[in-house]
Every structure is written in C-alpha cells, then in structure tokens.
C-alpha cells in the first residue's frame, strides 16, 4: 500500500441539480467551458493534478500547499470575472475545501482521511468561498496576502479529531442569490435513502452500514411506482451533516430515509426514520435491537414500512421479486459487501480481489445469487471488456466465466435484475445482439428504478442500433442519479451522436473530460465526433489528451474492443479518430 503526504483540493458546484433541472443544455455548456478554459489550465499552471471529476465535483492534489491555495483563489477570482460578464440570473458558483494530509494511493486515485477532511471543508465553504484546514493555513499565512476568517475548531462527521477551520474571504466571495422554489417533483412518490451512519466507532465497519443502505435502495428500486435516487448520488452525503430539505432540493425528491447502524459483537442496533422533506414531518421511525444475524429481516421490515407509509401500490409480479431474499448467511453477505467495495475501485487488481471474496462467500452459501452476479462482474471487468481499449489476453475466458456466473444466478433467482444486466453485457461482448437486447430489457422490467441497469441497457441499445431508445433510458438513469458517473455521460453522448445530434454529443462529452482515467473513453468519443464533423483542430486537442492519458493508444487496438451491430458505426468512429490525428 502506497501512502504520501499531499495537498488535497476538493470543489463542487453549488446547487448543481437545480441548475441542471432548469437548463440542462446551458449548464452542460457552461460547465464544459469552465473546466476547459479555467479550472484545468489553472490546476496545471500550479503544478497540480486533477485526480477525478465526480458529476459536479472535482478532486485535485498538489505537491505545494501554497500553489494549491493560489490555484483555488485564482479559480474563484476567474469564475467571478466570468460571471460578471454574463447576465445569468443563477451563475455557476463553486465551493472549495483544501487540506494537507496523508493519503492512500491506488492507481491514479487517492483515499483516506486526508481526502475526507478536504471534502468536509468544501461542504462548509460558502458559494464562491474557500475553507482551509489549520495544517494548510499554517503553511500559507506568512506567504500569501489573504483575508481570512477564523471559524475555530469544528467537529467533522466521521473524522476522529476536531479540525481548526479558516475561511478565505476573497474579493470574489458570493453575493446573495435569491432561492427559488425546488425543482418540480415527479408525479409519483420519490425518495432518497441517505447512507446509514456507522456508529460502531470503527471506520472498517463502514461496509456494514453501507451494505444495509444499498440493500434498501436495491429493494425499493424494483417498484415501478416509486422514484428512488441511485446510490451514486445519495452517497455524496456520506459523513456530511445535511438538512433533508437540501437533499430534497438537490435530488428532486419529496421523502428522505436516514438512519444509523451500531454493530458490537453479536448485536446490532439499527435506527431508521422516514421524513417528508417538504413539511419536515416524520412519517415513520423505528429502532431495532437484534442479533446481528437478523439484519436481513430488519432490512425487509424497513422496506415494507416505507412501502406502507408512502402508500405505494405493488403491481402484479412485483411483490415476489420485491421480497425475494439473497442469503441468510451473514458472513457470506459481508464477504460480498467487501467484494463490492474493491470491485468499485475499477482496477484489475480490485476485480481479482473481488473474485477471491465472492468465491469465499459462495463456499459458505452456494445458492447466494448475488454473489454469483458479483463474481461475474469481477471477471467481466477485469480486462476492460466492452470498453474498447483493445482485446487483452484472457478476455474470451473472462467473458465465458462471467456468462456462466450470470446463468447460475438466474437458475437460483430468475427475478434477479442484476444477473440479467450482466448476461446482457456478456452477450454484447460476444456480438450476440438480439440476446443482449432481450436480457437488458428484462433487467429494466424487473428493476425499473435501478440507474446502473438502465444505463447498461442504454449502452446495449445504442450498440444494437437503437439510439433513440437509449436516449430515453440514459436520461431516466441520470434523473435517478443526478450526480452520474462518467460512463453515464459517455452513454448519453454516444446516443446523441448516433441520433444525428453531434453538437449535443460534444457538449455532453465536454462536460466530464478531465484527468481521471475514466475520462479516456470520454476523450475518445469527443475526438471521434469532432473529427467526423470536420472540426479537426479541436479533435486534435482531444487526441492529445488521449495520448497523454494513454501514450500507447492506437486506433487498431481501440477498435478491436468495440462491438456494434451496424458496421457503418464502427467505420464512423474509426474515421473520426483518424481525422483527429491518432496513430493507427
């Protein structure tokens, strides 16, 4: 495990969800221009590195504390100047937090309390403002001429020791902005399930509380008459003290479920409360003191109570797979939860670790369908299959193993939507397009509010020649997950491109380009689309970013990993990349 001391800068866009709801295209355009023209050049000028972009969020690191603060001030000043030149009633404003701390390094990503503190500081900053930890302030107070407000020691959620916080008050600090009414709610019950707080006093137990949260989200997402915000969006609130009305406003939901988990030895205490965020009234609250092996029953009870409290109607056929159980073996469940954590890191090493953990779970419970699904995804993703970075040795065997795992899961639980989605991707990787379409549609039917499965289906629809259907699915997925991952934007941009909306595709790709390796597929889509439209200068700029992220990139290797029903699409992609000047 590699560790290093670094300066972490975390930033996000204030009221991003509302901005997107009011003017999606305009916000896309403004954000892409902001990143391209101001943020990315500023970070590079101060010798920093953008670690990753997360929807409306940004994480960067700097070797110099002084350069990190100078970069933050320059970004806020530049943004204020840009906003002053427009007549936008609701301009884009950033919050920034900076911390100096020890981090764990995994590939291009960084983790640990050093990062978490920066994120907490960002949440405390006002729109247009910057918050610093004491460790940062002590390095810059005699080196930079700053107006600083001492906020004193703050107890940050899930951070063991209090942190002394300072707020920079630059001449660019925000002016008051009128608050409009929340975005229009859907015409059916809508809910965000916040990450249950780990009250065990041991951060290593986060997987346990996170697992309970995700199980509830997964169960609720199977109900067609309920809008359930996806994990990717609700987990941004993890460790943050947020008001439920803020959650309602940012996620576009009426109801919020929050809770906590305290696990000690063989006992567990789970509390949960369902709140009407518009009125602030508690619709239901309960505390469960149980043996730890009873958590599965508690999860079922909580989801049942939500259905009853919101008066949600279960349609014919939903009842059975809504209450379908996974495993009753706690150790197997915990192993799969740990496997999911490393799987989500996205590295080949993480996929192999997930395989080991899932196989251990299956030794304990061979009939655990979700363990088979997770094992399958870990094999499927080990070689970046279907992404288009070239065919790796072992890919064919990995696809077959993933296929076998998906089929085994469906033998055990025919209503498992995730197994259908996995099998759909396996069929796609083999060029079996009709089978891929059938399986992906079944996944959507079984779990109509599962954002990831909707996005997977959108990718498959696009590659099978149905981009109009893909647009419907990916837009719904992004409504369920307002803070969507990069690959959602890739799916949206590609669907736009193949429906003849090239400019919309460029705007979508341009929104999320950055330093993260996930941005590689975005840059490829951007370069190819620009090349196809004859905008070669900008296409070559995107191509230079591709080669910077992956110096050995070649068109031949990339095309080897692609699978489209219509060969003309492959020709368009290839020719666009060639026009961008990428090597054959």
């Amino acid at each position: 495990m590699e560790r290093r001391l670094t300066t972490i800068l975390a930033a996000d866009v204030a009221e991003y969800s509302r901005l997107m709801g009011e003017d999606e295209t305009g916000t896309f355009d403004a954000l892409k221009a902001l990143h391209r023209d101001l943020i990315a050049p500023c970070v590079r000028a101060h010798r920093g590195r953008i670690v990753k972009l997360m929807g409306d969020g940004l994480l960067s690191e700097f070797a110099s504390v002084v350069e990190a603060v100078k970069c933050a001030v320059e970004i806020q000043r530049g943004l204020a100047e840009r906003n002053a030149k427009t007549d936008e009633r609701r301009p884009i404003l950033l919050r920034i937090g900076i911390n100096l701390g020890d981090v764990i390094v995994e590939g291009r990503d960084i983790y640990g309390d050093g990062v978490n503190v920066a994120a907490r500081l960002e949440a405390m900053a006002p729109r247009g403002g910057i918050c610093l930890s004491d460790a940062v302030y002590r390095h810059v107070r005699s080196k930079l001429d700053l107006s600083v407000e001492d906020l004193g020691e703050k107890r940050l959620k899930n951070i063991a020791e209090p942190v002394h916080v300072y707020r920079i008050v630059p001449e660019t600090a925000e002016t008051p902005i009128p608050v409009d009414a929340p975005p229009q709610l859907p015409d059916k019950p809508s809910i965000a399930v916040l990450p249950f707080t780990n009250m065990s006093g041991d951060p290593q137990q986060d997987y346990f509380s996170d697992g309970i949260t995700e199980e509830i989200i997964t169960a609720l997402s199977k109900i067609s008459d309920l809008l359930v915000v996806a994990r990717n969006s609700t987990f941004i609130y993890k460790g943050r003290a947020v008001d439920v009305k803020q959650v309602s406003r940012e996620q576009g939901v009426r109801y919020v479920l929050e809770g906590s988990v305290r696990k000690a030895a063989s006992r567990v205490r789970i509390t949960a409360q369902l709140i009407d965020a518009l009125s602030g009234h508690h619709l239901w609250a309960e505390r469960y003191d149980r043996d730890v092996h009873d958590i599965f029953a508690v999860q079922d009870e909580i989801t049942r109570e939500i259905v009853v409290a919101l008066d949600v109607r279960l349609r014919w056929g939903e009842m059975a797979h809504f209450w379908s159980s996974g495993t009753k073996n706690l150790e197997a469940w915990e192993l799969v939860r740990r496997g999911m954590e490393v799987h989500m890191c996205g590295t080949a090493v993480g996929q192999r670790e997930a395989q080991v953990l899932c196989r251990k779970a299956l030794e304990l419970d061979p009939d655990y369908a979700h363990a088979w699904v997770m094992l399958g995804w870990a094999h499927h993703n080990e070689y970046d299959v279907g992404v288009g970075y070239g065919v790796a040795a072992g890919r064919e065997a990995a696809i077959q193993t993933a296929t076998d795992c998906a089929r085994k899961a469906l033998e055990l639980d025919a209503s498992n939507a995730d197994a259908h989605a996995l099998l759909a991707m396996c069929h796609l990787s083999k060029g079996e397009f009709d089978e891929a379409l059938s399986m992906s549609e079944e996944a959507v039917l079984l779990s109509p509010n599962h954002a990831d499965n909707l996005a997977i289906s959108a990718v498959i629809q696009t590659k099978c020649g149905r981009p109009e259907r893909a647009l419907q699915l990916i837009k719904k997925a992004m409504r369920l997950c307002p803070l969507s991952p990069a690959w959602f934007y890739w799916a949206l941009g590609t669907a736009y491109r193949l429906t003849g909306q090239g400019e919309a595709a460029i705007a979508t790709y341009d929104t999320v380009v950055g330093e993260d390796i996930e941005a590689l597929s975005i840059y490829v889509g951007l370069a190819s689309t620009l090349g196809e439209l004859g905008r070669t200068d900008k296409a070559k700029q995107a191509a230079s970013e591709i080669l910077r992220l992956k110096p050995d990139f070649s068109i031949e290797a990339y095309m080897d990993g692609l699978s489209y029903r219509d060969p003309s699409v492959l020709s368009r992609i290839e020719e666009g990349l060639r026009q961008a000047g990428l090597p054959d």
Side-chain angles (χ1 to χ4, degrees), residues 257-375:
L257 180 74
E258 59 183 14
S260 64
V261 180
R262 184 187 298 276
K263 180 171 174 275
S266 63
R267 301 294 296 176
V268 63
R269 170 176 292 179
I270 300 175
T271 64
Q273 53 184 357
L274 181 65
I275 305 167
D276 183 333
L278 300 189
S279 67
H281 294 155
H282 286 63
L283 303 181
W284 165 82
E286 188 61 82
R287 187 179 78 182
Y288 304 87
D289 287 300
R290 302 286 181 84
D291 183 274
V292 71
H293 291 86
D294 291 338
I295 62 162
F296 309 113
V298 172
Q299 289 168 182
D300 284 350
E301 287 182 41
I302 292 173
T303 48
R304 283 187 176 91
E305 291 290 352
I306 293 169
V307 170
V308 172
L310 301 186
D311 194 23
V312 175
R313 178 173 62 91
L314 294 180
R315 297 183 181 182
W316 178 256
E318 285 183 338
M319 181 69 77
H321 69 258
F322 178 61
W323 303 126
S324 61
S325 59
T327 182
K328 300 303 180 185
N329 187 303
L330 179 62
E331 188 178 350
W333 182 83
E334 290 180 321
L335 286 165
V336 171
R337 294 309 315 172
R338 292 192 175 105
M340 289 181 69
E341 284 191 348
V342 294
H343 163 75
M344 290 174 65
C345 293
T347 64
V349 172
Q351 306 315 307
R352 288 191 285 272
E353 290 179 7
Q355 292 168 24
V356 171
L357 291 165
C358 289
R359 289 195 182 280
K360 287 181 179 178
L362 288 167
E363 289 175 4
L364 296 170
D365 183 355
D367 295 333
Y368 187 7
H370 191 62
W372 284 106
V373 174
M374 277 305 307
L375 178 61

Side-chain angles (χ1 to χ4, degrees), residues 91-114:
I92 290 178
L93 293 168
L94 295 178
R95 298 184 178 92
I96 297 178
I98 307 177
N99 181 45
L100 173 65
D102 188 64
V103 298
I104 299 170
V105 182
E106 168 110 31
R108 295 180 58 85
D109 213 342
I110 55 176
Y111 305 88
D113 277 353

Side-chain angles (χ1 to χ4, degrees), residues 239-551:
R240 292 169 55 183
V242 293
D243 183 79
V244 292
K245 291 186 177 180
Q246 175 191 348
V247 176
S248 168
R249 191 167 58 245
E250 294 179 349
Q251 304 294 337
V253 297
R254 177 165 182 173
Y255 303 102
V256 175
L257 180 74
E258 59 183 14
S260 64
V261 180
R262 184 187 298 276
K263 180 171 174 275
S266 63
R267 301 294 296 176
V268 63
R269 170 176 292 179
I270 300 175
T271 64
Q273 53 184 357
L274 181 65
I275 305 167
D276 183 333
L278 300 189
S279 67
H281 294 155
H282 286 63
L283 303 181
W284 165 82
E286 188 61 82
R287 187 179 78 182
Y288 304 87
D289 287 300
R290 302 286 181 84
D291 183 274
V292 71
H293 291 86
D294 291 338
I295 62 162
F296 309 113
V298 172
Q299 289 168 182
D300 284 350
E301 287 182 41
I302 292 173
T303 48
R304 283 187 176 91
E305 291 290 352
I306 293 169
V307 170
V308 172
L310 301 186
D311 194 23
V312 175
R313 178 173 62 91
L314 294 180
R315 297 183 181 182
W316 178 256
E318 285 183 338
M319 181 69 77
H321 69 258
F322 178 61
W323 303 126
S324 61
S325 59
T327 182
K328 300 303 180 185
N329 187 303
L330 179 62
E331 188 178 350
W333 182 83
E334 290 180 321
L335 286 165
V336 171
R337 294 309 315 172
R338 292 192 175 105
M340 289 181 69
E341 284 191 348
V342 294
H343 163 75
M344 290 174 65
C345 293
T347 64
V349 172
Q351 306 315 307
R352 288 191 285 272
E353 290 179 7
Q355 292 168 24
V356 171
L357 291 165
C358 289
R359 289 195 182 280
K360 287 181 179 178
L362 288 167
E363 289 175 4
L364 296 170
D365 183 355
D367 295 333
Y368 187 7
H370 191 62
W372 284 106
V373 174
M374 277 305 307
L375 178 61
W377 276 120
H379 278 284
H380 182 279
N381 291 357
E382 184 177 355
Y383 295 97
D384 284 325
V385 291
V387 180
Y389 301 141
V391 178
R395 174 181 184 268
E396 186 175 341
I399 289 291
Q400 188 55 52
T401 301
T403 302
D404 294 341
C405 289
R407 287 177 173 154
K408 178 63 176 179
L410 289 173
E411 287 178 13
L412 296 167
D413 179 6
S415 67
N416 191 304
D418 293 342
H420 282 89
L422 170 59
L423 189 53
M425 285 300 292
C426 291
H427 283 307
L428 181 69
S429 298
K430 297 176 181 179
E432 299 166 354
F433 298 106
D434 290 336
E435 294 86 346
L437 280 172
S438 175
M439 285 292 107
S440 68
E441 289 286 10
E442 188 67 19
V444 171
L445 286 172
L446 289 169
S447 193
N449 284 301
H450 193 305
D452 283 351
N453 287 347
L454 285 166
I456 287 170
S457 185
V459 170
I460 290 170
Q461 298 284 340
T462 296
K463 294 193 172 189
C464 291
R466 300 175 62 185
E468 295 84 2
R469 170 64 173 156
L471 278 177
Q472 297 173 357
L473 292 167
I474 193 60
K475 286 181 177 180
K476 181 178 180 182
M478 295 177 82
R479 171 60 185 91
L480 292 166
C481 186
L483 301 181
S484 302
W487 68 277
F488 279 35
Y489 288 89
W490 177 88
L492 178 62
T494 304
Y496 273 136
R497 180 184 182 182
L498 297 185
T499 53
Q501 302 177 69
E503 293 301 326
I506 291 169
T508 302
Y509 291 139
D510 235 351
T511 303
V512 290
V513 294
E515 301 283 333
D516 194 286
I517 194 63
E518 282 189 26
L520 183 57
S521 61
I522 301 290
Y523 275 122
V524 171
L526 179 60
S528 180
T529 306
L530 288 166
E532 182 183 17
L533 295 178
R535 295 164 61 178
T536 53
D537 288 345
K538 289 189 176 294
K540 288 178 180 177
Q541 291 177 14
S544 68
E545 295 297 323
I546 294 170
L547 295 173
R548 182 172 60 82
L549 287 169
K550 188 172 178 60

